[in-house]
Amino acid sequence: MRASTLRHWDAEGLVTPDRLSGRGTRRYSPAQVRDAGIVHQLRSAGYRIDPLRTLIPACGAGTDGRSRWAAGRQAGRVDG
């Protein structure tokens, strides 16, 4: 993934990395890397930024969040 893409997703609130104090360097935790992968896959599938602002927080953190998203999708609560 390009750094400019990650900066854009940060600005859009899709994947918000931790910031190292002083320099403002972005640091991605394993969960944030996973979230960036989810955003990448969904963008590749044609999802636009606006719907992802709602969808990504619904995924939650950790594998439990992905399970909740998958359960919602199977129940018809998540478009796509």
Side-chain angles (χ1 to χ4, degrees), residues 48-76:
R48 301 191 52 85
I49 295 287
D50 285 335
L52 289 179
R53 284 192 194 111
T54 303
L55 183 60
I56 294 304
C59 292
T63 56
D64 180 50
R66 284 190 293 183
S67 298
R68 284 195 316 269
W69 176 76
R73 183 171 170 76
Q74 288 176 346

Side-chain angles (χ1 to χ4, degrees), residues 8-33:
H8 177 67
W9 291 347
D10 182 12
E12 294 291 340
L14 296 177
V15 180
T16 306
D18 300 326
R19 301 271 186 197
L20 297 180
S21 60
R23 297 179 8 190
T25 304
R26 292 171 176 87
R27 177 70 55 149
Y28 291 86
S29 70
Q32 292 159 338
V33 170

